Short mmCIF file of all heavy atoms in Angstrom, two decimals:
data_model
loop_
_atom_site.label_atom_id
_atom_site.label_comp_id
_atom_site.label_asym_id
_atom_site.label_seq_id
_atom_site.Cartn_x
_atom_site.Cartn_y
_atom_site.Cartn_z
N ALA A 870 0.84 -1.20 0.00
CA ALA A 870 0.01 0.00 0.00
C ALA A 870 0.88 1.25 0.00
O ALA A 870 1.87 1.31 0.73
CB ALA A 870 -0.91 0.00 1.22
N GLY A 871 0.50 2.20 -0.82
CA GLY A 871 1.27 3.44 -0.96
C GLY A 871 2.28 3.42 -2.09
O GLY A 871 2.79 4.48 -2.48
N ASP A 872 2.57 2.24 -2.61
CA ASP A 872 3.53 2.12 -3.72
C ASP A 872 2.89 2.55 -5.04
O ASP A 872 1.68 2.84 -5.12
CB ASP A 872 4.03 0.69 -3.84
CG ASP A 872 5.02 0.34 -2.75
OD1 ASP A 872 5.45 1.25 -1.99
OD2 ASP A 872 5.36 -0.86 -2.63
N SER A 873 3.72 2.55 -6.07
CA SER A 873 3.29 2.90 -7.42
C SER A 873 3.59 1.76 -8.38
O SER A 873 4.52 0.95 -8.16
CB SER A 873 4.00 4.16 -7.91
OG SER A 873 3.68 5.26 -7.10
N LEU A 874 2.80 1.69 -9.44
CA LEU A 874 3.03 0.76 -10.54
C LEU A 874 2.65 1.47 -11.84
O LEU A 874 1.75 2.32 -11.83
CB LEU A 874 2.16 -0.49 -10.41
CG LEU A 874 2.66 -1.71 -9.66
CD1 LEU A 874 1.58 -2.80 -9.70
CD2 LEU A 874 3.96 -2.23 -10.21
N ARG A 875 3.29 1.08 -12.92
CA ARG A 875 2.89 1.55 -14.22
C ARG A 875 2.55 0.36 -15.10
O ARG A 875 3.39 -0.50 -15.36
CB ARG A 875 3.95 2.41 -14.91
CG ARG A 875 3.41 3.07 -16.17
CD ARG A 875 4.43 3.96 -16.83
NE ARG A 875 5.44 3.24 -17.59
CZ ARG A 875 6.20 3.78 -18.54
NH1 ARG A 875 6.05 5.07 -18.84
NH2 ARG A 875 7.10 3.06 -19.16
N LEU A 876 1.32 0.31 -15.53
CA LEU A 876 0.88 -0.71 -16.47
C LEU A 876 1.03 -0.22 -17.90
O LEU A 876 0.86 0.98 -18.16
CB LEU A 876 -0.57 -1.11 -16.21
CG LEU A 876 -0.94 -1.56 -14.81
CD1 LEU A 876 -2.40 -1.99 -14.76
CD2 LEU A 876 -0.04 -2.66 -14.32
N SER A 877 1.34 -1.15 -18.77
CA SER A 877 1.44 -0.82 -20.19
C SER A 877 0.47 -1.68 -20.99
O SER A 877 0.19 -2.82 -20.62
CB SER A 877 2.86 -1.08 -20.71
OG SER A 877 3.79 -0.27 -20.04
N CYS A 878 -0.02 -1.12 -22.06
CA CYS A 878 -0.91 -1.84 -22.98
C CYS A 878 -0.35 -1.61 -24.37
O CYS A 878 -0.49 -0.52 -24.93
CB CYS A 878 -2.32 -1.33 -22.85
SG CYS A 878 -3.46 -1.98 -24.11
N ALA A 879 0.27 -2.63 -24.92
CA ALA A 879 0.85 -2.54 -26.25
C ALA A 879 -0.14 -3.02 -27.29
O ALA A 879 -0.75 -4.09 -27.13
CB ALA A 879 2.13 -3.36 -26.32
N ALA A 880 -0.29 -2.25 -28.34
CA ALA A 880 -1.27 -2.56 -29.39
C ALA A 880 -0.59 -2.92 -30.70
O ALA A 880 0.39 -2.29 -31.09
CB ALA A 880 -2.20 -1.38 -29.60
N THR A 881 -1.10 -3.91 -31.36
CA THR A 881 -0.61 -4.28 -32.68
C THR A 881 -1.82 -4.47 -33.59
O THR A 881 -2.94 -4.66 -33.15
CB THR A 881 0.19 -5.60 -32.66
OG1 THR A 881 -0.65 -6.65 -32.16
CG2 THR A 881 1.41 -5.48 -31.77
N GLY A 882 -1.58 -4.38 -34.87
CA GLY A 882 -2.67 -4.55 -35.82
C GLY A 882 -2.95 -3.24 -36.51
O GLY A 882 -2.04 -2.58 -37.00
N ARG A 883 -4.19 -2.84 -36.50
CA ARG A 883 -4.57 -1.62 -37.20
C ARG A 883 -3.99 -0.38 -36.53
O ARG A 883 -3.46 -0.45 -35.43
CB ARG A 883 -6.08 -1.54 -37.28
CG ARG A 883 -6.70 -2.64 -38.12
CD ARG A 883 -8.19 -2.46 -38.28
NE ARG A 883 -8.53 -1.19 -38.91
CZ ARG A 883 -9.76 -0.78 -39.11
NH1 ARG A 883 -10.79 -1.51 -38.68
NH2 ARG A 883 -10.00 0.39 -39.67
N THR A 884 -4.10 0.72 -37.17
CA THR A 884 -3.50 1.97 -36.71
C THR A 884 -3.94 2.30 -35.29
O THR A 884 -5.11 2.52 -35.02
CB THR A 884 -3.88 3.12 -37.64
OG1 THR A 884 -3.52 2.77 -38.98
CG2 THR A 884 -3.15 4.38 -37.25
N PHE A 885 -2.97 2.35 -34.42
CA PHE A 885 -3.24 2.57 -33.01
C PHE A 885 -3.95 3.88 -32.77
O PHE A 885 -4.85 3.98 -31.93
CB PHE A 885 -1.90 2.54 -32.26
CG PHE A 885 -2.00 2.88 -30.81
CD1 PHE A 885 -2.66 2.04 -29.93
CD2 PHE A 885 -1.44 4.05 -30.31
CE1 PHE A 885 -2.74 2.34 -28.58
CE2 PHE A 885 -1.52 4.34 -28.97
CZ PHE A 885 -2.17 3.50 -28.11
N SER A 886 -3.58 4.89 -33.52
CA SER A 886 -4.16 6.23 -33.30
C SER A 886 -5.64 6.29 -33.68
O SER A 886 -6.29 7.29 -33.40
CB SER A 886 -3.39 7.28 -34.09
OG SER A 886 -3.42 6.97 -35.48
N SER A 887 -6.16 5.23 -34.27
CA SER A 887 -7.59 5.19 -34.62
C SER A 887 -8.46 4.82 -33.44
O SER A 887 -9.68 4.93 -33.51
CB SER A 887 -7.84 4.20 -35.75
OG SER A 887 -7.11 4.54 -36.91
N TYR A 888 -7.84 4.38 -32.36
CA TYR A 888 -8.58 3.76 -31.27
C TYR A 888 -8.66 4.62 -30.03
O TYR A 888 -7.67 5.20 -29.59
CB TYR A 888 -7.93 2.42 -30.90
CG TYR A 888 -8.17 1.35 -31.93
CD1 TYR A 888 -7.37 1.26 -33.05
CD2 TYR A 888 -9.21 0.44 -31.77
CE1 TYR A 888 -7.60 0.29 -34.01
CE2 TYR A 888 -9.45 -0.53 -32.72
CZ TYR A 888 -8.64 -0.59 -33.83
OH TYR A 888 -8.88 -1.55 -34.78
N ALA A 889 -9.86 4.68 -29.47
CA ALA A 889 -10.02 5.11 -28.10
C ALA A 889 -9.68 3.93 -27.21
O ALA A 889 -9.97 2.78 -27.56
CB ALA A 889 -11.45 5.57 -27.84
N MET A 890 -9.05 4.18 -26.07
CA MET A 890 -8.56 3.11 -25.22
C MET A 890 -9.13 3.26 -23.81
O MET A 890 -9.43 4.37 -23.35
CB MET A 890 -7.03 3.15 -25.15
CG MET A 890 -6.33 3.09 -26.51
SD MET A 890 -6.58 1.53 -27.37
CE MET A 890 -5.66 0.42 -26.28
N GLY A 891 -9.23 2.13 -23.14
CA GLY A 891 -9.72 2.16 -21.78
C GLY A 891 -9.03 1.11 -20.92
O GLY A 891 -8.49 0.13 -21.43
N TRP A 892 -9.04 1.35 -19.62
CA TRP A 892 -8.59 0.37 -18.63
C TRP A 892 -9.78 0.01 -17.73
O TRP A 892 -10.51 0.91 -17.28
CB TRP A 892 -7.47 0.93 -17.77
CG TRP A 892 -6.13 1.01 -18.41
CD1 TRP A 892 -5.58 2.10 -19.01
CD2 TRP A 892 -5.17 -0.03 -18.52
NE1 TRP A 892 -4.33 1.81 -19.48
CE2 TRP A 892 -4.04 0.49 -19.20
CE3 TRP A 892 -5.13 -1.35 -18.11
CZ2 TRP A 892 -2.90 -0.26 -19.47
CZ3 TRP A 892 -4.00 -2.11 -18.39
CH2 TRP A 892 -2.90 -1.57 -19.06
N PHE A 893 -9.93 -1.26 -17.49
CA PHE A 893 -10.95 -1.79 -16.60
C PHE A 893 -10.27 -2.72 -15.62
O PHE A 893 -9.13 -3.15 -15.83
CB PHE A 893 -12.02 -2.53 -17.40
CG PHE A 893 -12.83 -1.64 -18.29
CD1 PHE A 893 -12.32 -1.18 -19.49
CD2 PHE A 893 -14.10 -1.23 -17.91
CE1 PHE A 893 -13.06 -0.33 -20.31
CE2 PHE A 893 -14.85 -0.38 -18.72
CZ PHE A 893 -14.32 0.07 -19.91
N ARG A 894 -10.97 -3.04 -14.56
CA ARG A 894 -10.41 -4.01 -13.61
C ARG A 894 -11.51 -4.88 -13.04
O ARG A 894 -12.67 -4.49 -13.00
CB ARG A 894 -9.66 -3.29 -12.48
CG ARG A 894 -10.53 -2.47 -11.55
CD ARG A 894 -9.67 -1.66 -10.59
NE ARG A 894 -10.47 -0.87 -9.65
CZ ARG A 894 -9.96 -0.01 -8.79
NH1 ARG A 894 -8.64 0.18 -8.73
NH2 ARG A 894 -10.75 0.65 -7.98
N GLN A 895 -11.10 -6.06 -12.60
CA GLN A 895 -12.04 -6.98 -11.99
C GLN A 895 -11.38 -7.65 -10.80
O GLN A 895 -10.36 -8.33 -10.94
CB GLN A 895 -12.52 -8.03 -12.99
CG GLN A 895 -13.62 -8.89 -12.45
CD GLN A 895 -14.30 -9.72 -13.53
OE1 GLN A 895 -13.77 -9.93 -14.62
NE2 GLN A 895 -15.52 -10.18 -13.25
N ALA A 896 -11.96 -7.41 -9.64
CA ALA A 896 -11.50 -8.03 -8.41
C ALA A 896 -12.24 -9.36 -8.20
O ALA A 896 -13.34 -9.54 -8.72
CB ALA A 896 -11.73 -7.09 -7.24
N PRO A 897 -11.65 -10.26 -7.42
CA PRO A 897 -12.32 -11.56 -7.19
C PRO A 897 -13.72 -11.37 -6.61
O PRO A 897 -13.91 -10.61 -5.65
CB PRO A 897 -11.38 -12.22 -6.18
CG PRO A 897 -10.05 -11.61 -6.42
CD PRO A 897 -10.34 -10.19 -6.79
N GLY A 898 -14.66 -12.05 -7.22
CA GLY A 898 -16.03 -12.00 -6.75
C GLY A 898 -16.79 -10.73 -7.09
O GLY A 898 -17.92 -10.55 -6.64
N LYS A 899 -16.17 -9.86 -7.87
CA LYS A 899 -16.81 -8.60 -8.23
C LYS A 899 -16.94 -8.47 -9.74
O LYS A 899 -16.25 -9.14 -10.48
CB LYS A 899 -16.03 -7.41 -7.65
CG LYS A 899 -16.00 -7.36 -6.14
CD LYS A 899 -15.35 -6.08 -5.65
CE LYS A 899 -15.39 -5.98 -4.14
NZ LYS A 899 -14.79 -4.70 -3.67
N GLU A 900 -17.82 -7.57 -10.15
CA GLU A 900 -17.97 -7.32 -11.56
C GLU A 900 -16.82 -6.44 -12.08
O GLU A 900 -16.21 -5.69 -11.32
CB GLU A 900 -19.31 -6.64 -11.83
CG GLU A 900 -20.51 -7.52 -11.53
CD GLU A 900 -21.82 -6.85 -11.93
OE1 GLU A 900 -21.80 -5.66 -12.31
OE2 GLU A 900 -22.86 -7.53 -11.86
N ARG A 901 -16.61 -6.55 -13.37
CA ARG A 901 -15.63 -5.67 -13.99
C ARG A 901 -16.07 -4.22 -13.87
O ARG A 901 -17.26 -3.92 -14.03
CB ARG A 901 -15.49 -6.06 -15.46
CG ARG A 901 -14.45 -5.26 -16.25
CD ARG A 901 -14.44 -5.71 -17.68
NE ARG A 901 -15.72 -5.46 -18.34
CZ ARG A 901 -16.09 -6.01 -19.50
NH1 ARG A 901 -15.27 -6.85 -20.12
NH2 ARG A 901 -17.25 -5.71 -20.03
N GLU A 902 -15.11 -3.35 -13.59
CA GLU A 902 -15.46 -1.95 -13.44
C GLU A 902 -14.52 -1.05 -14.25
O GLU A 902 -13.35 -1.39 -14.48
CB GLU A 902 -15.41 -1.52 -11.97
CG GLU A 902 -14.05 -1.59 -11.33
CD GLU A 902 -14.06 -1.03 -9.90
OE1 GLU A 902 -15.10 -0.59 -9.41
OE2 GLU A 902 -12.97 -1.05 -9.29
N PHE A 903 -15.06 0.07 -14.65
CA PHE A 903 -14.30 1.07 -15.39
C PHE A 903 -13.25 1.70 -14.49
O PHE A 903 -13.52 2.01 -13.32
CB PHE A 903 -15.26 2.13 -15.91
CG PHE A 903 -14.58 3.34 -16.48
CD1 PHE A 903 -14.06 3.33 -17.76
CD2 PHE A 903 -14.50 4.51 -15.73
CE1 PHE A 903 -13.45 4.46 -18.28
CE2 PHE A 903 -13.89 5.63 -16.24
CZ PHE A 903 -13.35 5.61 -17.52
N VAL A 904 -12.06 1.93 -15.03
CA VAL A 904 -11.00 2.62 -14.29
C VAL A 904 -10.70 3.96 -14.94
O VAL A 904 -10.79 5.00 -14.30
CB VAL A 904 -9.71 1.76 -14.25
CG1 VAL A 904 -8.59 2.54 -13.55
CG2 VAL A 904 -9.97 0.44 -13.55
N THR A 905 -10.37 3.94 -16.22
CA THR A 905 -10.02 5.17 -16.90
C THR A 905 -10.06 4.95 -18.41
O THR A 905 -10.03 3.81 -18.88
CB THR A 905 -8.62 5.65 -16.49
OG1 THR A 905 -8.29 6.87 -17.17
CG2 THR A 905 -7.55 4.60 -16.83
N ALA A 906 -10.15 6.04 -19.17
CA ALA A 906 -10.18 5.95 -20.62
C ALA A 906 -9.53 7.19 -21.21
O ALA A 906 -9.45 8.24 -20.56
CB ALA A 906 -11.62 5.82 -21.13
N ILE A 907 -9.09 7.03 -22.47
CA ILE A 907 -8.44 8.14 -23.16
C ILE A 907 -8.91 8.14 -24.60
O ILE A 907 -9.11 7.09 -25.21
CB ILE A 907 -6.90 8.01 -23.07
CG1 ILE A 907 -6.21 9.26 -23.60
CG2 ILE A 907 -6.41 6.75 -23.78
CD1 ILE A 907 -4.71 9.32 -23.23
N SER A 908 -9.11 9.34 -25.15
CA SER A 908 -9.56 9.45 -26.52
C SER A 908 -8.43 9.12 -27.49
O SER A 908 -7.27 9.07 -27.09
CB SER A 908 -10.08 10.87 -26.79
OG SER A 908 -9.03 11.81 -26.64
N ARG A 909 -8.78 8.94 -28.74
CA ARG A 909 -7.74 8.50 -29.68
C ARG A 909 -6.69 9.59 -29.91
O ARG A 909 -5.54 9.29 -30.22
CB ARG A 909 -8.35 8.06 -31.00
CG ARG A 909 -9.00 9.13 -31.83
CD ARG A 909 -9.58 8.52 -33.09
NE ARG A 909 -10.06 9.54 -34.01
CZ ARG A 909 -10.68 9.25 -35.16
NH1 ARG A 909 -10.88 7.98 -35.49
NH2 ARG A 909 -11.09 10.21 -35.95
N SER A 910 -7.07 10.84 -29.72
CA SER A 910 -6.09 11.93 -29.85
C SER A 910 -5.29 12.10 -28.56
O SER A 910 -4.24 12.76 -28.56
CB SER A 910 -6.80 13.23 -30.19
OG SER A 910 -7.52 13.70 -29.07
#
């Protein structure tokens, strides 16, 4: 607790800049939830 981490999401395939991206998370026994999102620009 109190530490930091940086997650990465590497994309391959079609033009990356065409995509809006999001991060979601799912804890044990819980539904998937929205964390953050970024527009394609």
Side-chain angles (χ1 to χ4, degrees):
D872 285 351
S873 298
L874 270 180
R875 189 177 77 160
L876 305 183
S877 299
C878 172
T881 59
R883 295 185 60 183
T884 305
F885 174 68
S886 59
S887 300
Y888 287 83
M890 305 295 292
W892 284 97
F893 293 77
R894 67 187 181 186
Q895 187 167 19
K899 295 187 177 181
E900 293 185 353
R901 182 181 63 195
E902 65 175 359
F903 170 80
V904 177
T905 180
I907 189 167
S908 63
R909 67 181 188 183
S910 71

